[in-house]
Amino acid sequence: MSERESGGRAAVLMRQAGGALGEAVLAAVVAAVVAGIGLVAFGRVDWPAFNSSNVTRALTTVGQVAALAMLVGAIVLIRLRTWPWLAKLLSWGGISAFVTVTLGMPLAATKLYLFGMSVDQEFRTQYLTRLTDSAELHDMNYVDLPPFYPAGWFWFGGRFASLTGMAGWEAFKPYAILVLAVAAVVALVLWSNLIRADWAVAVAAATTAVTLAYGAPEAYSAVLVLLLGPALLLAWGALYRPAELALPTVLAAPGVDAPESARGGERATAGGWGAVIGAGLFLGVAATFYTLYFGLAVFTVCLMAIIAAGLMLRERVGALRTQRHRDAAARSTAGGQTGDALTPGVRVPGVWAVLRPMLARLVVMGLVAGLISLTVWTPFLLDFLSGKASFAGGSAFHYLPESGSRLPLPMFEFSLVGVFCLVGLIWLVVRAGSSRRAQALGIGVLAVYLWCLLSMLATAAGTTLLGFRLEAPLYALLAAAGVFGFVEGARAIYQVLNEPARFRVAAAAVAVVGAVAFAQEIPHVLTNEINTAYTDTDGNGQRADKRPPSAVSHYAAIDAKLREQTGRPRDETVVLTADTSFLAVYPYYGFQSLTSHYANPLADFPGRAAEIKRWSQLKTPAELVAALEHSPWRAPDAFLFRRSGDEYTLRLAEDVYPNDPNVKRYTVAFPESLFEDPRFTATEIGPFTLVVRK
């Protein structure tokens, strides 16, 4: 490549990247404003609980219809090629309003997010509470340990909570909804830069709807699901560029959505480097948000590289064969003469020349992702490599529910989304040889199924790859394909029927009614998650459904007594308790995590469990004090027990994979006499006994 061409591509890259980035930032601001106004408005009304009234459900449907009307208006303006900025504002506002009303209205009467503070949402809330208390990257539970679970989403959530003055647990809901609204709009901007603008609005709306239905409870991973489709198109565009091989003939299938360079527009492109940077940014964000989806994304990109290499080598073989035929014809015409002058066209490049550009792009993509990931992973890697802590007890992949033992096949479910996914599957297969969009999305779907099979195979080695958690990205990819399939299928039917005058209107009506039908079912799909947000007791000690609160209502008194008796800030105190939701509300450190699956592998979960059991079997307070002073880890400054007769109990958990459920609960009982010593202060608070070491 000449210096002039290199400079031209750099200029194009800067212009294109700058334009896309500027548009994404502006769209994100619009989405944040829309979501913020909506959430504040919802919070100013005393709504009835979702699980005891249909009022909020009805208002959710009204809001969804209004948001979809904005999206339809945007599509109409785009097709009419009029008021383009109004069309953009309508699409940005419509999709962010859809996210806000779909999640915000059903949760309007509670301060908790989907699933409240139960099970997985408990440790996520604890993580957000930890990073609200301090911007320093730190494990959610254990003192003096770096984070093992990626902190990206939670770190920004902590800054949001600090900025708004909310506690971490309280900031979880508005932050999750706001970020999902922003991510949906950013995804729309990416789609708009990759495909037709009207199609982009429809695809973004479809993927947003299915992501809210099947991925919203895990808000930080749902962000990646929303961005996965356009990221895969970028990655495929970066890796598979047959037009740049400079072959005498390009054997790509007729009608392939070739890069602009293949259509004589090379001077108007950045040579694929914009796609490289975009895909690398997505991989980097994935690494800082969610390890599983980062692994899936890397696996998919590597699969793309293998397929792209195979296709380009196949095209090289075909071009080489064509070149030989031309050489033979030239020699025959020249009466058997030989020489380079008789060889027409451009010489076929060697294998390395074919693969080198793709490998270079793959390496740059990895470097971009690696640099971003280090912003979150550096503390953990430094501790791990230094040997300061032992890597033991990690069991994050020890979970195999029934859904993880079979392949997810939503396209064969008897439902609206099932039919839509089936349309997407058919389109992927039919257009696999002629559409780069279908190729990218199809490889993504293939990667999901391969990952699921590898996860099942990994059970033979005593672990899994959590394949059951890939349903949300699978739904999103098939939904994107479903939009393309519906549009192209409707166009084909329109032509077969000799282009009837009202057919387009009828097809549009079917699409809009189908969208409304699925949208209003999203709260129904999330019924259990929404109900839990109303039945769980929040950090203020209240239940949103106005029922009597649980023991969580005593947490405020426990917190006050702890600070009074220790005389230390919360983040300088370690508490041993089985009621770990206390640590999700207040940023105390825990001596032991809820289960080994959420525990930092550097914390030695099994060793700590054994130590707790050993403490409970001691005979005198002096023995307990000595054991605490010689603990391999920083010993608890306080114990939060439940009382059972003359014993204090902790309800702990152990990993029993491959059983399902994968957690076994057991009780450790401490004799009350172990704490009858001036060096301990015991206080009864509701059903709890708080014991503080002096």
Side-chain angles (χ1 to χ4, degrees):
M1 184 188 301
S2 68
E3 183 177 346
R4 180 178 179 181
E5 289 175 332
S6 178
R9 285 188 173 183
V12 172
L13 174 60
M14 294 298 293
R15 184 172 64 253
Q16 291 179 346
L21 180 61
E23 186 176 348
V25 170
L26 184 57
V29 171
V30 171
V33 170
V34 171
I37 292 175
L39 292 173
V40 170
F42 298 159
R44 290 186 176 277
V45 179
D46 185 18
W47 304 103
F50 182 86
N51 58 344
S52 61
S53 172
N54 291 318
V55 170
T56 51
R57 188 187 299 268
L59 293 174
T60 299
T61 301
V62 173
Q64 289 174 327
V65 171
L68 290 174
M70 294 173 67
L71 295 176
V72 171
I75 293 175
V76 170
L77 290 177
I78 291 170
R79 293 187 65 85
L80 293 176
R81 300 179 184 275
T82 183
W83 296 334
W85 273 105
L86 177 58
K88 285 186 177 183
L89 288 175
L90 280 175
S91 64
W92 299 344
I95 205 162
S96 55
F98 181 81
V99 173
T100 305
V101 74
T102 300
L103 295 179
M105 193 68 241
L107 296 172
T110 176
K111 291 182 179 295
L112 299 178
Y113 187 61
L114 299 171
F115 262 140
M117 286 196 292
S118 296
V119 196
D120 289 9
Q121 218 68 304
E122 179 182 311
F123 91 83
R124 294 167 190 151
T125 305
Q126 183 182 0
Y127 208 172
L128 187 56
T129 294
R130 169 68 52 221
L131 294 179
T132 298
D133 182 64
S134 171
E136 179 186 0
L137 293 179
H138 202 288
D139 183 78
M140 69 189 83
N141 184 75
Y142 298 103
V143 69
D144 301 328
L145 281 184
F148 173 68
Y149 286 89
W153 187 88
F154 299 94
W155 188 89
F156 284 107
R159 308 291 62 75
F160 170 82
S162 298
L163 181 65
T164 57
M166 289 188 282
W169 69 266
E170 188 177 3
F172 197 110
K173 184 188 80 170
Y175 170 65
I177 296 174
L178 188 149
V179 171
L180 285 174
V182 169
V185 169
V186 172
L188 170 58
V189 172
L190 290 176
W191 281 115
S192 299
N193 280 272
L194 294 170
I195 60 176
R196 283 176 44 175
D198 53 342
W199 290 8
V201 175
V203 172
T207 54
T208 298
V210 297
T211 299
L212 294 182
Y214 302 104
E218 201 173 55
Y220 53 93
S221 69
V223 170
L224 303 178
V225 174
L226 290 169
L227 299 172
L228 180 61
L232 292 185
L233 263 66
L234 287 171
W236 185 240
L239 296 173
Y240 182 50
R241 303 183 67 80
E244 295 186 356
L245 297 180
L247 299 178
T249 179
V250 177
L251 299 182
V256 169
D257 298 341
E260 194 173 340
S261 58
R263 302 191 297 269
E266 177 65 23
R267 293 181 180 177
T269 75
W273 289 104
V276 169
I277 301 301
L281 289 173
F282 173 78
L283 292 176
V285 171
T288 64
F289 273 38
Y290 192 28
T291 308
L292 177 63
Y293 284 4
F294 169 67
L296 174 67
V298 170
F299 178 70
T300 305
V301 170
C302 291
L303 183 62
M304 283 182 168
I306 294 172
I307 294 174
L311 290 175
M312 289 192 289
L313 289 176
R314 185 193 68 175
E315 291 162 9
R316 177 186 177 276
V317 170
L320 192 61
R321 186 181 300 113
T322 301
Q323 185 71 25
R324 288 171 180 168
H325 291 164
R326 289 178 176 176
D327 287 350
R331 285 193 295 270
S332 175
T333 301
Q337 297 182 29
T338 59
D340 291 341
L342 298 177
T343 303
V346 181
R347 301 302 300 179
V348 177
V351 173
W352 177 241
V354 170
L355 298 181
R356 185 176 59 241
M358 184 195 71
L359 292 175
R361 292 187 176 98
L362 193 62
V363 169
V364 172
M365 204 181 295
L367 288 175
V368 172
L371 290 174
I372 296 174
S373 66
L374 286 177
T375 61
V376 164
W377 283 99
T378 296
F380 178 85
L381 293 175
L382 291 177
D383 265 34
F384 175 65
L385 295 174
S386 68
K388 293 180 180 177
S390 60
F391 194 85
S395 57
F397 290 92
H398 287 185
Y399 188 33
L400 184 67
E402 191 274 335
S403 60
S405 62
R406 53 183 174 80
L407 293 174
L409 299 170
M411 66 287 294
F412 296 112
E413 295 177 0
F414 188 71
S415 64
L416 182 61
V417 71
V419 173
F420 197 54
C421 289
L422 181 59
V423 172
L425 176 65
I426 294 172
W427 180 81
L428 289 175
V429 174
V430 171
R431 293 277 274 146
S434 58
S435 169
R436 292 176 67 84
R437 288 174 283 118
Q439 292 163 1
L441 297 176
I443 294 172
V445 171
L446 176 62
V448 169
Y449 281 117
L450 288 177
W451 188 282
C452 290
L453 290 172
L454 290 173
S455 180
M456 296 176 201
L457 184 62
T459 59
T463 187
T464 75
L465 297 178
L466 302 179
F468 73 96
R469 291 194 180 277
L470 302 186
E471 288 192 357
L474 177 64
Y475 273 103
L477 293 175
L478 289 174
V483 173
F484 296 128
F486 179 84
V487 171
E488 295 186 14
R491 183 166 56 191
I493 295 173
Y494 173 68
Q495 293 171 348
V496 168
L497 296 178
N498 295 321
E499 302 183 358
R502 306 298 296 175
F503 183 84
R504 290 183 177 180
V505 177
V510 170
V512 172
V513 173
V516 172
F518 180 75
Q520 67 181 4
E521 282 299 302
I522 295 176
H524 176 73
V525 175
L526 297 173
T527 293
N528 183 46
E529 290 86 342
I530 296 172
N531 287 345
T532 305
Y534 282 90
T535 56
D536 275 5
T537 302
D538 64 27
N540 291 332
Q542 300 175 349
R543 275 178 52 157
D545 60 0
K546 310 303 182 183
R547 304 288 176 84
S550 68
V552 173
S553 61
H554 296 282
Y555 282 175
I558 294 170
D559 169 59
K561 188 61 66 174
L562 250 176
R563 287 186 291 160
E564 173 191 327
Q565 294 183 356
T566 62
R568 291 194 300 269
R570 295 166 177 146
D571 60 359
E572 295 181 11
T573 302
V574 176
V575 180
L576 171 57
T577 180
D579 291 273
T580 49
S581 59
F582 176 69
L583 308 177
V585 176
Y586 299 104
Y588 294 96
Y589 287 108
F591 180 80
Q592 184 66 307
S593 190
L594 175 66
T595 73
S596 63
H597 308 91
Y598 308 129
N600 193 319
L602 299 179
D604 190 5
F605 184 94
R608 289 173 182 259
E611 187 74 356
I612 293 169
K613 188 172 183 180
R614 187 178 73 85
W615 292 343
S616 71
Q617 295 170 346
L618 298 175
K619 303 301 182 182
T620 66
E623 291 179 346
L624 178 59
V625 170
L628 293 174
E629 290 178 349
H630 294 88
S631 170
W633 312 276
R634 178 175 164 181
D637 301 299
F639 301 80
L640 185 60
F641 294 115
R642 297 286 185 123
R643 175 180 282 278
S644 177
D646 59 354
E647 293 181 325
Y648 300 145
T649 63
L650 295 172
R651 186 76 169 163
L652 303 180
E654 64 176 320
D655 176 29
V656 292
Y657 176 83
N659 292 338
D660 182 29
N662 61 331
V663 172
K664 177 183 176 182
R665 296 286 180 180
Y666 66 97
T667 300
V668 174
F670 285 72
E672 184 178 358
S673 59
L674 271 181
F675 301 97
E676 293 176 345
D677 187 277
R679 287 168 288 189
F680 296 101
T681 300
T683 307
E684 302 291 334
I685 303 176
F688 300 100
T689 298
L690 175 66
V691 178
V692 177
R693 292 174 60 202
K694 292 184 179 179

